[in-house]
Amino acid sequence: MVVVGVRNVFKKFTTPVEEQDRERRRLECTAAGAVPTNEVQRRALARVAGEVSSVRIVPRAGAPSLEVIIDDGHGRATAIFLGRKHLAGLSPGRRVVFEGRVQVEASRVVMVNPVYEFTG
């Protein structure tokens, strides 16, 4: 019993931080009742959860749009908010859940104007 505990402690200290973060995001995705980004179906309504990794403003058809990329440990999803330059609270490091219709563009998961809520 003691040997197993020592192995777990040793594993925790020898596992790279990136892998520990990825595993934490996977567990949070499951706890939020979300579908992993690598399992979402094209054109289906989905709920994805993750940590905001980047926020940027991209012009589309002459109007600004806000692109928010989240990482759930399984992959990444992009939420595009048309006509917006800023949404309060959406900043890198924040945990969020997006709900909306999924599109797949150039092998990336995209949701346009999804409903969102903050977690944790």
Side-chain angles (χ1 to χ4, degrees):
M1 187 72 158
V2 174
V3 174
V4 174
V6 172
R7 285 182 188 162
N8 289 339
V9 170
F10 185 71
K11 182 179 178 183
K12 181 178 178 180
F13 288 116
T14 59
T15 304
V17 174
E18 295 83 12
E19 182 58 35
Q20 290 178 18
D21 286 343
R22 195 173 305 118
E23 184 60 30
R24 178 187 49 82
R25 288 191 302 269
R26 287 180 190 143
L27 293 173
E28 289 170 352
C29 172
T30 304
V35 177
T37 54
N38 61 348
E39 295 179 13
V40 296
Q41 300 295 316
R42 174 182 276 168
R43 298 183 185 165
L45 289 174
R47 176 181 171 96
V48 296
E51 189 174 289
V52 176
S53 59
S54 70
V55 178
R56 65 185 188 149
I57 300 169
V58 178
R60 290 180 183 261
S65 64
L66 186 70
E67 284 191 3
V68 180
I69 299 174
I70 64 167
D71 187 338
D72 69 353
H74 299 279
R76 292 177 171 233
T78 303
I80 300 172
F81 297 93
L82 301 173
R84 303 298 300 254
K85 290 184 179 180
H86 177 74
L87 285 171
L90 282 177
S91 58
R94 192 77 190 260
R95 290 181 295 230
V96 67
V97 175
F98 292 133
E99 290 186 57
R101 185 137 338 252
V102 174
Q103 302 172 9
V104 178
E105 298 177 356
S107 73
R108 69 180 192 155
V109 175
V110 176
M111 299 173 113
V112 178
N113 291 329
V115 175
Y116 66 95
E117 65 183 70
F118 298 112
T119 60

